[in-house]
Amino acid sequence: MSNSPTPGHASGKSHQHDGHPLVGHLVPLWILFLTGSALVVLTIITVAAHSVDLGEFNIVFALVIAAIKATLVGLFFMHLRWDRPFNQLVFVGSIVFVLLLMIFCMMDSKQYQSQLVGGNPSMAQMTIDKEAPNAPIAKQAPVLR
């Protein structure tokens, strides 16, 4: 190896390594600012949605927004939009597997509802009644049968 400067570069540092650039892709600033702005807007929507009662769809709405935000971060901040197709396949595959895991967990969650006993255990209820009678947990929940 020689310590002499590379032709065309005064600093002697080459921007090439074995014919490949050291930087994979340079993203224009306007794309980064637009993506960051979209993430801020989606965060504001998520916070605002907290005050809207959609019933059981609140969690679905929050997860959809989170998935959109994760996709934006992956595509533009992690440069997956310009990366090799295999990396995009791994990203999409991981999202599919997370969705499958969530679906399987939700399918199982209703199977044991009839076995749940509502309310607090008797010793805990006595302590709560004595120490914190106005706490929200102090109210005895109905027994689920």
Side-chain angles (χ1 to χ4, degrees):
M1 281 183 85
S2 167
N3 288 337
S4 63
T6 306
H9 294 344
S11 65
K13 295 180 182 176
S14 173
H15 293 289
Q16 298 282 327
H17 180 66
D18 296 332
H20 299 288
L22 294 179
V23 176
H25 183 269
L26 296 177
V27 182
L29 285 177
W30 69 270
I31 291 178
L32 296 177
F33 283 122
L34 190 63
T35 305
S37 300
L39 291 172
V40 168
V41 168
L42 288 170
T43 301
I44 292 170
I45 291 172
T46 303
V47 172
H50 175 69
S51 62
V52 177
D53 184 21
L54 299 175
E56 292 184 11
F57 289 106
N58 273 0
I59 189 71
V60 173
F61 187 70
L63 287 174
V64 167
I65 291 177
I68 292 170
K69 289 167 59 175
T71 302
L72 286 174
V73 169
L75 286 176
F76 297 107
F77 290 146
M78 295 172 63
H79 302 257
L80 283 177
R81 185 174 190 275
W82 300 280
D83 210 350
R84 293 184 179 99
F86 178 75
N87 292 340
Q88 295 170 356
L89 179 67
V90 169
F91 178 69
V92 170
S94 65
I95 291 174
V96 168
F97 282 114
V98 166
L99 288 174
L100 282 173
L101 175 70
M102 291 172 64
I103 288 169
F104 286 137
C105 288
M106 286 188 288
M107 286 172 33
D108 184 49
S109 66
K110 297 287 184 185
Q111 298 298 318
Y112 56 86
Q113 291 294 325
S114 63
Q115 300 172 1
L116 292 179
V117 177
N120 299 315
S122 58
M123 293 287 290
Q125 188 64 44
M126 288 187 329
T127 305
I128 291 170
D129 289 341
K130 180 181 172 189
E131 301 292 330
N134 295 327
I137 197 171
K139 295 174 182 59
Q140 188 73 315
V143 176
L144 301 175
R145 294 255 181 218

